[in-house]
Amino acid sequence: MSTSSQTKVDSKSADGTRPFRFIFVGGSARSGTTLVQKMLCAHSCVCGGPEFDHAVPAMKLFARMSSPQQLERQKFYYSEEEVSDRFREFYASLFDGLASRNPGLKYVSEKTPANIAAAADLLRLFPDAFYVNVMRDGRDVVLSHQKVLNRFKQQHGKKGKKWWFEYSVRDVSRKWNSDIERYYEMMASDSISPRIMNVKYEEIVSHPEKVLKPILEKLGLDFEPQLSKPESVDKEQLGYNVNVDGVWYTDGMFDQSLNSLSVSGWQKNLSWPKRMLVNFMQCRNLQRVGYPVPPSVLRLRHIVDYLRGR
Protein backbone atom coordinates (compact mmCIF):
# COMPACT_ATOMS: atom_id res chain seq x y z
CA MET A 1 0.00 0.00 0.00
CA SER A 2 1.35 3.43 -0.91
CA THR A 3 1.92 6.06 1.78
CA SER A 4 -0.81 8.31 0.37
CA SER A 5 -3.45 5.56 0.31
CA GLN A 6 -2.43 4.41 3.78
CA THR A 7 -2.99 7.93 5.11
CA LYS A 8 -6.53 7.92 3.74
CA VAL A 9 -7.64 4.78 5.53
CA ASP A 10 -5.47 4.64 8.66
CA SER A 11 -7.47 6.02 11.60
CA LYS A 12 -4.91 5.19 14.28
CA SER A 13 -3.72 7.95 16.57
CA ALA A 14 -0.07 8.85 17.07
CA ASP A 15 0.40 6.24 19.81
CA GLY A 16 -0.82 3.46 17.50
CA THR A 17 -4.26 3.02 19.07
CA ARG A 18 -7.60 3.55 17.36
CA PRO A 19 -9.73 6.49 18.49
CA PHE A 20 -12.98 4.52 18.33
CA ARG A 21 -14.67 1.77 20.27
CA PHE A 22 -17.24 -0.70 18.95
CA ILE A 23 -20.96 -0.92 19.51
CA PHE A 24 -22.25 -4.21 18.15
CA VAL A 25 -25.98 -4.36 17.42
CA GLY A 26 -27.78 -7.65 16.87
CA GLY A 27 -30.87 -9.71 17.55
CA SER A 28 -33.34 -11.90 15.76
CA ALA A 29 -33.88 -10.72 12.16
CA ARG A 30 -36.84 -8.37 11.61
CA SER A 31 -36.71 -7.24 15.25
CA GLY A 32 -35.78 -3.61 14.64
CA THR A 33 -31.98 -3.75 14.47
CA THR A 34 -31.95 -1.36 11.51
CA LEU A 35 -34.07 1.15 13.42
CA VAL A 36 -31.74 1.02 16.43
CA GLN A 37 -28.72 1.38 14.14
CA LYS A 38 -30.24 4.48 12.52
CA MET A 39 -30.93 6.06 15.89
CA LEU A 40 -27.44 5.35 17.24
CA CYS A 41 -25.77 6.62 14.07
CA ALA A 42 -27.77 9.85 14.27
CA HIS A 43 -25.56 10.73 17.25
CA SER A 44 -22.71 13.11 16.49
CA CYS A 45 -20.15 10.77 18.10
CA VAL A 46 -21.28 7.53 16.42
CA CYS A 47 -20.98 6.32 12.86
CA GLY A 48 -21.93 3.09 11.15
CA GLY A 49 -23.20 1.56 7.97
CA PRO A 50 -25.20 -1.32 6.53
CA GLU A 51 -24.86 -4.93 7.62
CA PHE A 52 -21.34 -6.26 7.93
CA ASP A 53 -21.60 -9.90 6.90
CA HIS A 54 -18.35 -11.29 8.28
CA ALA A 55 -18.56 -11.07 12.08
CA VAL A 56 -19.97 -14.57 12.54
CA PRO A 57 -17.53 -16.44 10.25
CA ALA A 58 -14.60 -14.41 11.61
CA MET A 59 -15.54 -15.16 15.22
CA LYS A 60 -16.07 -18.85 14.44
CA LEU A 61 -12.51 -19.00 13.14
CA PHE A 62 -11.23 -17.03 16.13
CA ALA A 63 -13.06 -19.33 18.57
CA ARG A 64 -11.63 -22.40 16.84
CA MET A 65 -8.07 -21.06 16.72
CA SER A 66 -8.17 -20.00 20.37
CA SER A 67 -9.73 -23.21 21.70
CA PRO A 68 -7.54 -25.12 24.22
CA GLN A 69 -7.00 -27.97 21.79
CA GLN A 70 -5.88 -25.71 18.95
CA LEU A 71 -3.71 -23.58 21.23
CA GLU A 72 -1.87 -26.74 22.22
CA ARG A 73 -1.56 -28.01 18.62
CA GLN A 74 -0.54 -24.64 17.17
CA LYS A 75 1.70 -23.32 19.95
CA PHE A 76 4.63 -23.39 17.54
CA TYR A 77 2.87 -20.56 15.63
CA TYR A 78 0.99 -18.50 18.20
CA SER A 79 -0.07 -18.13 21.82
CA GLU A 80 -3.56 -17.27 23.07
CA GLU A 81 -2.54 -13.64 23.54
CA GLU A 82 -0.98 -13.44 20.09
CA VAL A 83 -3.97 -14.87 18.21
CA SER A 84 -6.28 -12.48 20.10
CA ASP A 85 -4.09 -9.49 19.28
CA ARG A 86 -3.92 -10.41 15.59
CA PHE A 87 -7.67 -10.97 15.24
CA ARG A 88 -8.38 -7.75 17.12
CA GLU A 89 -6.07 -5.76 14.86
CA PHE A 90 -7.40 -7.35 11.67
CA TYR A 91 -11.08 -6.92 12.55
CA ALA A 92 -10.75 -3.32 13.74
CA SER A 93 -8.66 -2.35 10.71
CA LEU A 94 -11.62 -3.18 8.44
CA PHE A 95 -13.40 -0.15 9.90
CA ASP A 96 -10.51 2.31 9.63
CA GLY A 97 -11.81 3.71 6.36
CA LEU A 98 -15.21 4.40 7.89
CA ALA A 99 -13.60 6.04 10.90
CA SER A 100 -11.32 8.23 8.78
CA ARG A 101 -14.38 9.60 6.95
CA ASN A 102 -15.97 10.57 10.26
CA PRO A 103 -13.42 12.58 12.28
CA GLY A 104 -14.27 13.13 15.93
CA LEU A 105 -16.28 9.95 16.36
CA LYS A 106 -16.06 7.89 19.54
CA TYR A 107 -17.89 4.75 18.44
CA VAL A 108 -18.33 2.65 15.33
CA SER A 109 -21.71 0.91 15.44
CA GLU A 110 -21.65 -2.40 13.59
CA LYS A 111 -25.17 -3.74 13.08
CA THR A 112 -26.02 -7.18 11.74
CA PRO A 113 -28.85 -9.27 13.22
CA ALA A 114 -26.58 -12.34 13.19
CA ASN A 115 -24.21 -10.54 15.59
CA ILE A 116 -26.14 -12.23 18.39
CA ALA A 117 -24.36 -15.43 17.39
CA ALA A 118 -20.95 -13.76 17.63
CA ALA A 119 -21.52 -11.23 20.41
CA ALA A 120 -19.90 -13.26 23.20
CA ASP A 121 -16.64 -13.67 21.26
CA LEU A 122 -16.71 -10.06 20.02
CA LEU A 123 -17.07 -8.77 23.57
CA ARG A 124 -14.21 -10.96 24.78
CA LEU A 125 -12.02 -9.88 21.88
CA PHE A 126 -12.84 -6.18 22.41
CA PRO A 127 -12.99 -5.58 26.19
CA ASP A 128 -14.04 -1.94 25.70
CA ALA A 129 -16.92 -2.74 23.30
CA PHE A 130 -20.67 -2.88 23.98
CA TYR A 131 -23.42 -5.06 22.56
CA VAL A 132 -26.98 -3.80 22.06
CA ASN A 133 -29.47 -6.65 21.74
CA VAL A 134 -32.79 -5.85 20.06
CA MET A 135 -35.86 -7.88 21.01
CA ARG A 136 -39.32 -7.89 19.47
CA ASP A 137 -42.46 -9.91 20.04
CA GLY A 138 -41.69 -13.12 18.15
CA ARG A 139 -45.17 -13.20 16.65
CA ASP A 140 -44.55 -9.83 14.99
CA VAL A 141 -41.16 -11.13 13.85
CA VAL A 142 -43.00 -13.97 12.08
CA LEU A 143 -45.43 -11.49 10.54
CA SER A 144 -42.56 -9.32 9.29
CA HIS A 145 -40.93 -12.35 7.64
CA GLN A 146 -44.24 -13.20 6.01
CA LYS A 147 -44.41 -9.67 4.57
CA VAL A 148 -40.88 -10.02 3.20
CA LEU A 149 -41.92 -13.27 1.57
CA ASN A 150 -45.02 -11.66 0.05
CA ARG A 151 -42.97 -8.81 -1.40
CA PHE A 152 -40.54 -11.34 -2.84
CA LYS A 153 -43.41 -13.25 -4.47
CA GLN A 154 -44.80 -10.05 -5.96
CA GLN A 155 -41.44 -9.25 -7.54
CA HIS A 156 -40.30 -12.72 -8.56
CA GLY A 157 -43.36 -14.96 -8.73
CA LYS A 158 -42.58 -18.60 -7.94
CA LYS A 159 -38.85 -18.17 -8.38
CA GLY A 160 -36.81 -19.37 -5.41
CA LYS A 161 -39.32 -21.75 -3.80
CA LYS A 162 -36.68 -23.28 -1.51
CA TRP A 163 -36.04 -19.82 -0.08
CA TRP A 164 -39.72 -19.50 0.92
CA PHE A 165 -39.45 -22.41 3.32
CA GLU A 166 -37.01 -20.48 5.51
CA TYR A 167 -39.78 -17.98 6.20
CA SER A 168 -42.28 -20.50 7.52
CA VAL A 169 -43.84 -19.97 10.95
CA ARG A 170 -41.95 -23.00 12.25
CA ASP A 171 -38.49 -21.97 11.06
CA VAL A 172 -38.79 -18.32 12.07
CA SER A 173 -40.14 -19.33 15.50
CA ARG A 174 -37.29 -21.78 16.04
CA LYS A 175 -34.75 -19.10 15.14
CA TRP A 176 -36.43 -16.52 17.39
CA ASN A 177 -36.47 -18.98 20.30
CA SER A 178 -32.80 -19.76 19.72
CA ASP A 179 -31.85 -16.07 19.70
CA ILE A 180 -33.76 -15.39 22.93
CA GLU A 181 -32.03 -18.30 24.64
CA ARG A 182 -28.64 -17.18 23.34
CA TYR A 183 -29.23 -13.72 24.86
CA TYR A 184 -29.95 -15.22 28.28
CA GLU A 185 -26.87 -17.44 28.02
CA MET A 186 -24.73 -14.36 27.47
CA MET A 187 -26.39 -12.52 30.36
CA ALA A 188 -25.38 -15.40 32.64
CA SER A 189 -21.70 -14.59 32.00
CA ASP A 190 -20.36 -12.19 34.62
CA SER A 191 -17.44 -11.23 32.38
CA ILE A 192 -19.52 -9.82 29.50
CA SER A 193 -23.04 -9.15 30.82
CA PRO A 194 -22.18 -5.64 32.16
CA ARG A 195 -21.54 -4.58 28.56
CA ILE A 196 -24.78 -6.01 27.16
CA MET A 197 -27.83 -3.75 26.82
CA ASN A 198 -31.25 -4.97 25.76
CA VAL A 199 -33.78 -2.92 23.79
CA LYS A 200 -37.37 -3.89 23.15
CA TYR A 201 -38.73 -2.75 19.80
CA GLU A 202 -42.15 -1.98 21.28
CA GLU A 203 -40.63 0.34 23.88
CA ILE A 204 -38.27 2.21 21.59
CA VAL A 205 -40.98 3.11 19.05
CA SER A 206 -43.20 4.41 21.87
CA HIS A 207 -40.66 6.03 24.22
CA PRO A 208 -37.37 6.49 22.34
CA GLU A 209 -35.80 9.01 24.71
CA LYS A 210 -36.62 6.93 27.79
CA VAL A 211 -35.06 3.84 26.21
CA LEU A 212 -32.01 5.49 24.68
CA LYS A 213 -30.88 7.62 27.61
CA PRO A 214 -29.70 4.72 29.82
CA ILE A 215 -27.85 3.21 26.85
CA LEU A 216 -26.13 6.48 26.01
CA GLU A 217 -25.27 7.02 29.66
CA LYS A 218 -23.51 3.66 29.70
CA LEU A 219 -21.66 4.66 26.53
CA GLY A 220 -20.68 7.98 28.09
CA LEU A 221 -22.70 10.00 25.56
CA ASP A 222 -25.35 12.70 25.92
CA PHE A 223 -28.81 12.36 24.43
CA GLU A 224 -29.28 14.44 21.26
CA PRO A 225 -32.77 15.41 19.98
CA GLN A 226 -32.23 14.05 16.46
CA LEU A 227 -31.99 10.51 17.86
CA SER A 228 -35.78 10.44 18.20
CA LYS A 229 -36.17 11.23 14.49
CA PRO A 230 -34.74 8.25 12.57
CA GLU A 231 -36.59 9.43 9.45
CA SER A 232 -34.08 12.29 9.21
CA VAL A 233 -31.18 9.87 8.62
CA ASP A 234 -30.10 9.75 4.97
CA LYS A 235 -29.95 6.14 3.78
CA GLU A 236 -26.99 6.96 1.55
CA GLN A 237 -25.12 8.29 4.58
CA LEU A 238 -25.45 4.86 6.19
CA GLY A 239 -24.85 2.99 2.94
CA TYR A 240 -28.39 1.63 2.85
CA ASN A 241 -29.15 2.91 -0.65
CA VAL A 242 -28.29 -0.60 -1.92
CA ASN A 243 -30.24 -2.43 0.80
CA VAL A 244 -33.53 -0.69 0.04
CA ASP A 245 -34.48 -3.32 -2.54
CA GLY A 246 -38.26 -3.37 -2.24
CA VAL A 247 -38.16 -6.79 -0.54
CA TRP A 248 -36.22 -6.50 2.70
CA TYR A 249 -36.80 -2.77 2.82
CA THR A 250 -38.79 -0.25 0.83
CA ASP A 251 -38.14 3.48 0.70
CA GLY A 252 -41.28 4.03 2.74
CA MET A 253 -40.15 1.61 5.46
CA PHE A 254 -36.68 3.10 5.73
CA ASP A 255 -37.81 6.72 5.71
CA GLN A 256 -40.77 6.42 8.08
CA SER A 257 -40.85 8.00 11.52
CA LEU A 258 -41.30 5.93 14.68
CA ASN A 259 -44.42 3.87 14.17
CA SER A 260 -46.14 2.13 17.09
CA LEU A 261 -48.83 0.81 14.69
CA SER A 262 -46.40 -1.99 13.84
CA VAL A 263 -46.78 -3.36 17.38
CA SER A 264 -49.02 -6.46 17.81
CA GLY A 265 -49.89 -6.53 14.11
CA TRP A 266 -49.80 -10.32 14.28
CA GLN A 267 -53.19 -10.35 16.01
CA LYS A 268 -54.95 -9.04 12.90
CA ASN A 269 -52.65 -10.06 10.08
CA LEU A 270 -51.78 -13.68 10.83
CA SER A 271 -54.39 -16.33 10.09
CA TRP A 272 -55.90 -18.24 13.03
CA PRO A 273 -53.85 -21.44 12.39
CA LYS A 274 -50.63 -19.39 12.21
CA ARG A 275 -51.52 -17.48 15.38
CA MET A 276 -52.09 -20.74 17.21
CA LEU A 277 -48.86 -22.29 15.93
CA VAL A 278 -46.66 -19.29 16.65
CA ASN A 279 -48.11 -18.89 20.15
CA PHE A 280 -47.64 -22.59 20.86
CA MET A 281 -44.03 -22.65 19.62
CA GLN A 282 -42.92 -19.43 21.28
CA CYS A 283 -45.03 -19.31 24.45
CA ARG A 284 -42.25 -20.22 26.91
CA ASN A 285 -39.87 -17.55 25.66
CA LEU A 286 -42.65 -15.01 25.10
CA GLN A 287 -43.47 -15.37 28.79
CA ARG A 288 -39.81 -15.21 29.75
CA VAL A 289 -39.32 -11.93 27.90
CA GLY A 290 -42.57 -10.42 29.18
CA TYR A 291 -44.97 -10.68 26.26
CA PRO A 292 -48.54 -11.82 27.06
CA VAL A 293 -49.60 -15.29 25.95
CA PRO A 294 -53.21 -16.59 25.85
CA PRO A 295 -53.84 -18.81 28.92
CA SER A 296 -55.36 -21.50 26.68
CA VAL A 297 -52.06 -21.80 24.79
CA LEU A 298 -50.09 -22.11 28.03
CA ARG A 299 -52.40 -24.88 29.21
CA LEU A 300 -52.03 -26.71 25.91
CA ARG A 301 -48.24 -26.31 26.05
CA HIS A 302 -48.21 -27.68 29.59
CA ILE A 303 -50.25 -30.73 28.57
CA VAL A 304 -48.07 -31.45 25.55
CA ASP A 305 -44.88 -31.07 27.59
CA TYR A 306 -46.28 -33.38 30.25
CA LEU A 307 -47.13 -36.04 27.70
CA ARG A 308 -43.63 -35.73 26.25
CA GLY A 309 -42.14 -36.16 29.71
CA ARG A 310 -40.70 -32.66 29.89
Side-chain angles (χ1 to χ4, degrees):
M1 181 181 290
S2 68
T3 304
S4 59
S5 61
Q6 187 174 9
T7 303
K8 290 180 182 178
V9 300
D10 190 1
S11 65
K12 289 185 179 180
S13 57
D15 62 359
T17 61
R18 287 180 170 79
F20 64 86
R21 299 162 70 182
F22 278 110
I23 305 169
F24 298 106
V25 180
S28 206
R30 314 307 295 175
S31 290
T33 54
T34 297
L35 173 64
V36 171
Q37 172 78 335
K38 286 175 64 179
M39 298 174 89
L40 288 173
C41 292
H43 197 284
S44 59
C45 295
V46 182
C47 73
E51 294 180 2
F52 183 73
D53 297 328
H54 309 295
V56 172
M59 289 304 101
K60 281 184 178 179
L61 178 59
F62 169 67
R64 182 172 182 271
M65 291 181 68
S66 57
S67 68
Q69 180 183 10
Q70 285 297 312
L71 287 172
E72 177 62 26
R73 282 178 55 83
Q74 305 299 317
K75 60 185 179 182
F76 182 80
Y77 298 103
Y78 60 79
S79 66
E80 183 176 8
E81 182 180 0
E82 288 170 339
V83 74
S84 295
D85 287 344
R86 290 166 188 171
F87 263 88
R88 189 180 302 112
E89 170 63 24
F90 166 70
Y91 194 93
S93 70
L94 299 174
F95 297 85
D96 281 344
L98 177 63
S100 68
R101 298 192 298 271
N102 294 270
L105 89 164
K106 294 182 179 179
Y107 289 95
V108 166
S109 182
E110 193 282 282
K111 168 260 166 183
T112 307
N115 278 348
I116 191 169
D121 287 318
L122 286 166
L123 289 174
R124 293 186 180 103
L125 192 62
F126 294 96
D128 61 350
F130 292 89
Y131 172 67
V132 179
N133 188 67
V134 187
M135 280 186 187
R136 186 182 187 183
D137 188 320
R139 296 161 294 193
D140 279 326
V141 170
V142 167
L143 175 62
S144 184
H145 277 86
Q146 296 281 298
K147 289 180 177 179
V148 170
L149 179 56
N150 289 336
R151 288 193 292 269
F152 182 87
K153 288 178 180 178
Q154 289 172 4
Q155 286 195 18
H156 304 286
K158 294 183 178 180
K159 181 181 177 182
K161 267 192 173 181
K162 291 182 180 179
W163 184 76
W164 299 1
F165 183 74
E166 298 176 11
Y167 288 76
S168 70
V169 173
R170 290 179 184 274
D171 280 6
V172 176
S173 293
R174 289 190 186 106
K175 181 65 169 63
W176 183 83
N177 279 326
S178 174
D179 290 337
I180 295 296
E181 289 158 12
R182 194 186 298 270
Y183 164 75
Y184 281 105
E185 287 172 8
M186 290 192 296
M187 290 303 293
S189 170
D190 293 337
S191 62
I192 61 174
S193 59
R195 291 181 286 132
I196 299 173
M197 295 164 281
N198 192 52
V199 173
K200 278 191 175 181
Y201 174 85
E202 296 81 6
E203 293 174 357
I204 202 165
V205 296
S206 301
H207 308 288
E209 187 171 345
K210 181 180 177 181
V211 174
L212 286 173
K213 276 189 172 180
I215 293 175
L216 294 170
E217 184 178 345
K218 204 164 187 177
L219 296 173
L221 302 175
D222 295 324
F223 180 82
E224 297 176 350
Q226 70 272 17
L227 272 64
S228 297
K229 299 179 179 179
E231 69 275 13
S232 64
V233 176
D234 183 354
K235 59 178 173 286
E236 291 192 12
Q237 177 186 339
L238 293 186
Y240 273 88
N241 50 312
V242 176
N243 295 53
V244 179
D245 57 3
V247 175
W248 286 96
Y249 296 101
T250 65
D251 283 315
M253 291 168 61
F254 191 89
D255 296 334
Q256 69 179 339
S257 57
L258 294 173
N259 180 16
S260 59
L261 295 176
S262 57
V263 174
S264 297
W266 66 272
Q267 296 181 10
K268 293 183 179 179
N269 297 302
L270 285 179
S271 64
W272 182 85
K274 288 181 178 180
R275 290 200 304 271
M276 284 297 296
L277 179 58
V278 73
N279 270 296
F280 179 78
M281 291 192 67
Q282 298 183 8
C283 63
R284 295 300 189 202
N285 280 317
L286 287 169
Q287 262 196 319
R288 188 180 192 183
V289 177
Y291 294 110
V293 182
S296 59
V297 175
L298 292 174
R299 287 194 295 270
L300 177 61
R301 179 85 250 188
H302 178 74
I303 292 170
V304 172
D305 288 346
Y306 175 78
L307 293 174
R308 290 177 174 174
R310 295 179 180 177

Short mmCIF file of all heavy atoms in Angstrom, two decimals, residues 20 27 148 225:
data_model
loop_
_atom_site.label_atom_id
_atom_site.label_comp_id
_atom_site.label_asym_id
_atom_site.label_seq_id
_atom_site.Cartn_x
_atom_site.Cartn_y
_atom_site.Cartn_z
N PHE A 20 -11.59 4.92 18.18
CA PHE A 20 -12.98 4.52 18.33
C PHE A 20 -13.11 3.20 19.07
O PHE A 20 -12.19 2.39 19.11
CB PHE A 20 -13.67 4.41 16.96
CG PHE A 20 -13.11 3.33 16.06
CD1 PHE A 20 -13.56 2.02 16.14
CD2 PHE A 20 -12.15 3.64 15.10
CE1 PHE A 20 -13.05 1.03 15.31
CE2 PHE A 20 -11.63 2.66 14.26
CZ PHE A 20 -12.09 1.34 14.36
N GLY A 27 -29.60 -9.19 17.07
CA GLY A 27 -30.87 -9.71 17.55
C GLY A 27 -31.52 -10.54 16.47
O GLY A 27 -30.99 -10.66 15.36
N VAL A 148 -42.05 -9.95 4.09
CA VAL A 148 -40.88 -10.02 3.20
C VAL A 148 -41.13 -11.05 2.11
O VAL A 148 -40.88 -10.82 0.92
CB VAL A 148 -39.61 -10.37 4.00
CG1 VAL A 148 -38.45 -10.69 3.05
CG2 VAL A 148 -39.22 -9.23 4.91
N PRO A 225 -31.37 15.45 20.45
CA PRO A 225 -32.77 15.41 19.98
C PRO A 225 -32.99 14.64 18.69
O PRO A 225 -34.02 13.99 18.52
CB PRO A 225 -33.12 16.89 19.82
CG PRO A 225 -32.19 17.61 20.73
CD PRO A 225 -30.93 16.82 20.71
#
